[in-house]
Amino acid sequence: GEDVEQSLFLSVREGDSSVINCTYTDSSSTYLYWYKQEPGAGLQLLTYIFSNMDMKQDQRLTVLLNKKDKHLSLRIADTQTGDSAIYFCAESVSGYSTLTFGKGTMLLVSP
Amino acid sequence: NAGVMQNPRHLVRRRGQEARLRCSPMKGHSHVYWYRQLPEEGLKFMVYLQKENIIDESGMPKERFSAEFPKEGPSILRIQQVVRGDSAAYFCASSPTYRDVNTGELFFGEGSRLTVL
């Protein structure tokens, strides 16, 4: 079955880098996503990566994928207080299938 | 272009009442997904619908829950005879007629938060 696991909580100081980790079990996962949820709001897509990629960089965000270990990470450089939110890892077998989400990692950025 | 619209944002019901949650997808989107987020849990898939069709309801509880997406109007998630365990945030997401094969992205609404007293 499909399962996505994440650490539940991360606390960093403003200006530091944040690394949020995720593991998944479905070896046929093709699309992997990071969504951000601010308090009281819906989910917003931050970035995504295909399973045939090892890394993707988008401004302050770097996604690393270790397909052998089924491990995905999201690095946020120069973390700001506005980055405080819950970050969800999600996977999909195809671009047409439903997404399976982890429980989310709450990132708290202190000044 | 308005995003995915959900209403009500907050709904309070007593045990045994019915809850109806509505979702209007983004313009041009004909695929709707409902997810449930229980307290301190991730999002769990419930049901995937296209206009007038249920494509996948594997995540929907067999009793008391139903969903529809009529030809005209919003998608509706209906919960009959609510119990305290139904208290959760219910999120709707939509995608274009053909999922963007470059991202497979789902666009989420802000959610409807159901509280059952």
Side-chain angles (χ1 to χ4, degrees), chain B residues 22-77:
Chain B
R22 287 175 289 278
C23 169
S24 296
M26 284 181 70
K27 187 177 180 181
H29 288 192
S30 60
H31 296 205
V32 165
Y33 308 76
W34 285 94
Y35 283 80
R36 176 164 67 173
Q37 184 179 31
L38 291 166
E40 300 181 8
E41 293 283 332
L43 276 79
K44 298 293 186 185
F45 167 75
M46 298 181 74
V47 62
Y48 163 33
L49 310 103
Q50 296 177 19
K51 285 283 187 181
E52 300 184 277
N53 287 303
I54 296 175
I55 306 303
D56 181 353
E57 57 181 347
S58 59
M60 190 100 93
K62 294 288 186 284
E63 297 179 350
R64 303 187 298 107
F65 285 72
S66 62
E68 62 176 10
F69 188 15
K71 187 176 180 182
E72 301 291 338
S75 174
I76 295 177
L77 179 67

Side-chain angles (χ1 to χ4, degrees), chain A residues 90-111:
Chain A
E91 63 86 23
S92 175
V93 171
S94 75
Y96 296 94
S97 61
T98 58
L99 271 62
T100 299
F101 286 85
K103 290 187 178 182
T105 299
M106 179 178 286
L107 174 65
L108 180 63
V109 183
S110 54

Side-chain angles (χ1 to χ4, degrees), chain A residues 40-42, chain B residues 6-11 110-114:
Chain B
Q6 290 188 248
N7 69 84
R9 292 291 310 278
H10 300 276
L11 181 64
E110 294 187 329
S112 292
R113 283 154 180 84
L114 172 66

Side-chain angles (χ1 to χ4, degrees), chain A residues 66-78:
Chain A
N66 182 329
K67 194 176 179 184
K68 174 177 171 289
D69 295 337
K70 300 189 188 71
H71 181 266
L72 183 74
S73 68
L74 173 69
R75 179 176 181 270
I76 306 173
D78 187 24

